[in-house]
Amino acid sequence: MSVRRVRYLVFLKDILILSLTSFGGPQAFLAMLLERMVKSRGYISEEELWELNALCNMLPGPSSTQLVSAIGFRVGGPNLAYLALIVWILPATLIMTSAALLINFLQENTPGALNFARFIQPMAIGFIIFAAQKTISKMVKSTEAMILMLISAFVAFFYSSPYIFPIMLVLGGLSTSMKYKSQPKSEEDKSFSVKWANFYLWGGVLILAAVAGAITKWQPLLLFENFYRNGSLIFGGGQVLVPYLYTEFVDFKHFLSSEEFLTGYAISQGVPGPTFAISSYIGALSMREFGTFGFLMGGLVAAAGIFLPGIFLIFFVIRFWDQLKLYRPVRAALEGVNAVSCGMLIAAAYLLFEPLEANGINIIFILGTYGLLQFSKVSSPVIILGGVILGILANYFLT
């Protein structure tokens, strides 16, 4: 076996370890990447890691997954990057698909089965509020961005449609790109060149999936198109994905109940790996009518749909990023896109709270979860486990 092949296998083993141990959100994940990929293995330099992380955060899609794939691309080209993608997403995808199977089984065979999740549903709101605060503090830096955030939150409150989100993102980006002169000047590269293959691949899959789904009405194809479209529009990480998925699959298509969605979101906070893996849970439940095979297919189709567009785009942009980042309108547009994403995140907290009963217990668990995340070092899996245990005990003693 060649030295190169051994190096690639060691790299994939490192990715697998990360996929099984990366609890604690983006900050903890970056710390683990820095320790394992940079300091221990030397796959890339620390400077390259931060630059790739910045690039992934500026593109739509799952930033942690894009970062893993981008490192794989730098280490061994596109083939290793795609293998790294599979190794990274598979554990979380299987866990969330299994969770969907379990939730559905309990609901069909045990009356009041979701009572064990009575507390983790309001706890999910606490997680979203905490994520919104962190995201807003990082992305909203000006008065214009604050106004855009509030406008997008207002629109999302009162016009709950999956089709309004891409329009709001485009308008937000255009509105701030016009003030590009406030960006620091840099010498633009006049020899700018672009290799369009991965962009055409991204756009081609999007159009083909939409056309084939509309013609065939085949549920897996329709599901793939839904998630692929969402994966092409999400800026800001997994927490920003929540309002898109809730609007499309709960409000618009009614594939899941609000209680099922909140339960799945809470479970996803205690699972290692990419936060976008909640898509597998939603996809699996969306195909429950086809039995166990439908659950498995739904989970895998949703994972493919949500992760692939971000990977196509990172492979497209990484080849000319050093040139693109010199253009001030590009940098300026990101302010508006990020502000609109934050507004949608605020709306998500409200939309998810609305179906819950407005009682003292739910308020206490929302505020308690937020307080633990904000002021303590208790990890997300431990918080979720505590909520499940309290739900089981309450269900036992109150019934």
Side-chain angles (χ1 to χ4, degrees):
M1 186 178 292
S2 68
V3 173
R4 178 180 296 179
R5 183 171 295 182
V6 170
R7 177 177 167 82
Y8 291 172
L9 288 175
V10 171
F11 176 79
L12 293 174
K13 186 195 77 171
D14 289 334
I15 296 297
L16 179 60
I17 291 171
L18 284 171
S19 73
L20 297 172
T21 59
S22 59
F23 296 95
Q27 289 75 24
F29 172 69
L30 278 174
M32 294 175 72
L33 274 184
L34 179 63
E35 180 62 34
R36 180 169 288 272
M37 297 294 183
V38 176
K39 295 180 179 178
S40 296
R41 302 294 193 190
Y43 293 122
I44 58 174
S45 68
E46 185 171 347
E47 182 180 352
E48 285 179 300
L49 175 63
W50 299 132
E51 181 169 316
L52 288 174
N53 180 59
L55 172 58
C56 294
N57 281 313
M58 296 173 77
L59 291 174
S63 54
S64 64
T65 303
Q66 289 170 316
L67 184 53
V68 165
S69 298
I71 295 172
F73 188 88
R74 287 281 174 90
V75 172
N79 290 337
L80 184 63
Y82 281 115
L83 287 174
L85 166 69
I86 294 171
V87 171
W88 167 244
I89 70 173
L90 194 58
T93 295
L94 294 177
I95 291 170
M96 293 307 298
T97 302
S98 301
L101 262 168
L102 177 61
I103 293 296
N104 188 71
F105 175 81
L106 291 174
Q107 288 187 113
E108 287 185 346
N109 295 278
T110 308
L114 284 186
N115 283 341
F116 83 91
R118 65 172 69 184
F119 298 139
I120 67 171
Q121 290 169 12
M123 287 167 68
I125 308 296
F127 276 101
I128 292 173
I129 294 172
F130 178 75
Q133 177 206 332
K134 292 293 185 184
T135 304
I136 290 169
S137 65
K138 183 173 66 173
M139 291 185 174
V140 179
K141 303 286 188 181
S142 68
T143 303
E144 292 89 343
M146 181 68 70
I147 293 171
L148 275 173
M149 179 186 73
L150 295 175
I151 291 173
S152 64
F154 180 82
V155 172
F157 282 148
F158 296 104
Y159 193 77
S160 182
S161 167
Y163 302 109
I164 196 65
F165 294 153
I167 297 173
M168 290 166 62
L169 287 171
V170 171
L171 292 177
L174 288 174
S175 67
T176 56
S177 68
M178 291 186 291
K179 58 170 198 168
Y180 67 90
K181 292 182 180 179
S182 62
Q183 294 287 325
K185 286 187 176 181
S186 54
E187 186 178 347
E188 296 176 356
D189 190 345
K190 302 303 181 183
S191 62
F192 191 86
S193 62
V194 178
K195 294 181 179 179
W196 292 94
N198 278 286
F199 182 81
Y200 293 145
L201 180 60
W202 166 75
V205 172
L206 179 64
I207 294 169
L208 183 62
V211 172
I215 293 173
T216 65
K217 306 295 184 184
W218 191 42
Q219 179 78 343
L221 256 180
L222 292 171
L223 203 62
F224 176 83
E225 187 277 329
N226 293 159
F227 282 102
Y228 192 92
R229 171 168 36 84
N230 281 301
S232 299
L233 297 172
I234 304 301
F235 290 83
Q239 63 273 14
V240 181
L241 181 68
V242 172
Y244 288 77
L245 298 185
Y246 185 86
T247 297
E248 178 143 0
F249 292 97
V250 179
D251 276 352
F252 197 68
K253 294 179 177 172
H254 309 292
F255 287 163
L256 285 79
S257 68
S258 177
E259 293 78 14
E260 288 173 332
F261 186 95
L262 284 173
T263 301
Y265 179 76
I267 292 171
S268 72
Q269 298 303 297
V271 172
T275 53
F276 274 51
I278 187 178
S279 300
S280 294
Y281 173 89
I282 295 169
L285 286 176
S286 298
M287 289 190 61
R288 70 181 93 190
E289 62 188 276
F290 299 99
T292 303
F293 177 74
F295 274 94
L296 183 60
M297 177 175 282
L300 294 176
V301 163
I306 205 71
F307 288 110
L308 278 179
I311 302 309
F312 292 154
L313 289 174
I314 189 66
F315 287 176
F316 166 59
V317 175
I318 198 173
R319 292 179 167 91
F320 62 89
W321 169 240
D322 289 336
Q323 299 165 305
L324 183 65
K325 66 184 178 183
L326 299 176
Y327 287 78
R328 291 188 290 169
V330 173
R331 285 177 279 152
L334 291 169
E335 180 185 7
V337 170
N338 289 334
V340 169
S341 295
C342 289
M344 294 175 186
L345 193 52
I346 294 173
Y350 172 79
L351 292 172
L352 290 172
F353 178 75
E354 196 176 25
L356 288 180
E357 184 180 348
N359 58 40
I361 294 294
N362 285 339
I363 298 296
I364 288 170
F365 273 90
I366 290 172
L367 295 178
T369 301
Y370 172 81
L372 286 172
L373 292 168
Q374 180 69 28
F375 303 111
S376 79
K377 295 184 179 180
V378 181
S379 66
S380 298
V382 172
I383 294 173
I384 295 301
L385 180 60
V388 171
I389 292 172
L390 287 175
I392 292 172
L393 291 175
N395 196 43
Y396 177 78
F397 287 111
L398 297 177
T399 56

